[in-house]
Amino acid sequence: MKLLISVDMEGISGIVHSSETNPERYDYQCGRELMTAEANAVVAGVLDADPTAEVLVADAHGTFRNLLPEQLDRRARLVRGKPRALNMLAGLDEETDAALFVGYHVRAGEGPGVLAHTMNGEILDVRVAGRSLGEIGLNAAMAGHLGVPVVLLSGDDAACAEMNDLVPVAVTVAVKEALGMAAAVTLHPEEARDRLRRAAADAVSRRAEIPPLALTGPLDVEVDLASPHTIDLATLVPGVSRTGGARTVTFTSPDCATAYRLILLLAQLATIKPA
């Protein structure tokens, strides 16, 4: 069995503020340690269910260089650094039996949700076939395009609700209750890890009961962008046009994989500042 564990940071137990997720801020090292420990709990749960499983752990936050390699469970392999194909899902392919999302957060504009956003602060919303999707939905749909179910998600209660709205039978673990963008009632990290280990084992054991999220093309995609400069850059991409309002660009994609890559490109364009 081959499994991918994609680990973001905002949804880790104990983390409530950008000072804990930003490499330039004083609490970042603490955030890295909490993130690595939760990844290890999920690795342990997966291997409790199947000691022979091949486990890839994709660092999926910010720079993709957050997990502490020397502290990661040595039975797993680490996918680290960027840019890379499939972004937060690097390592996923058609041979993967299941994906597990750890430390994920709710999409931009939803909440209350701890550190809610979609990819970066420049993307206000993404709608695929009329449905608003954040990182949870976009990544689950990309996995589904490859026939891979997302069997587990952890994060705050809002992130878990977002996952269960997409895939009701997926296993979710709420490690904190969001009170706002930078506040939560959080489990003790050790309690969160215990729950994650048990849930990961359960989710992997029940993977055949959890369907992939399937979005069949062609797909109409709308992306709301915060910056006029980003919108100007986006309309240079063939097939992307400004429509539906000053902040919205649209395109039609033949399938989910093409839509996913183009949304990633728009997110990258949003990081380019005017000359």
Side-chain angles (χ1 to χ4, degrees), residues 30-51:
C30 177
R32 299 181 77 189
E33 292 173 358
L34 292 169
M35 180 187 185
T36 305
E38 285 202 7
N40 282 340
V42 175
V43 172
V46 165
L47 294 173
D48 288 342
D50 183 355

Side-chain angles (χ1 to χ4, degrees), residues 93-104:
D93 58 28
E94 294 89 342
E95 303 302 316
T96 306
D97 293 286
L100 301 91
F101 293 172
V102 179
Y104 271 56

Side-chain angles (χ1 to χ4, degrees), residues 10 15-18 20-21 105-106 113-117 156 180-182:
E10 289 88 353
I15 287 179
V16 297
H17 195 273
S18 60
E20 298 156 329
T21 64
H105 54 82
V106 75
V114 175
L115 298 171
H117 66 279
D156 67 19
M181 187 69 171

